[in-house]
Amino acid sequence: TMGKAFDFDVEGYTAQEVREWIVANADKFPCKIRLENELNGKQISWVHLDVFQNKKNPKVYLFNI
């Protein structure tokens, strides 16, 4: 609703592999980002990235819904 997020897949990689790459390369991103990790306790099969910022969160923050 705010236009500050998107969902995507990367061909040849699982969503978990993409999330791990993003975390490992956090210094390459110009701002803090959040990544959805689990939905009801199960790994999400796509990558959701948004720029909702909370001062206490690290540069890349994984959250569960």
Side-chain angles (χ1 to χ4, degrees):
T1 58
M2 294 172 42
K4 297 180 179 182
F6 61 100
D7 297 334
F8 65 98
D9 295 309
V10 177
E11 188 174 342
Y13 295 89
T14 66
Q16 184 59 30
E17 290 170 330
V18 174
R19 285 189 287 273
E20 289 171 1
W21 184 91
I22 292 171
V23 169
N25 290 279
D27 61 318
K28 294 179 172 51
F29 294 90
C31 63
K32 288 186 172 187
I33 59 174
R34 295 187 328 152
L35 301 169
E36 284 181 357
N37 187 46
E38 293 181 351
L39 173 63
N40 298 322
K42 296 182 182 175
Q43 286 285 317
I44 296 174
S45 62
W46 65 90
V47 179
H48 169 90
L49 184 149
D50 68 49
V51 293
F52 177 82
Q53 295 188 20
N54 186 326
K55 290 181 183 181
K56 69 177 182 172
N57 291 348
K59 180 83 178 261
V60 177
Y61 176 71
L62 278 72
F63 69 101
N64 300 324
I65 55 174

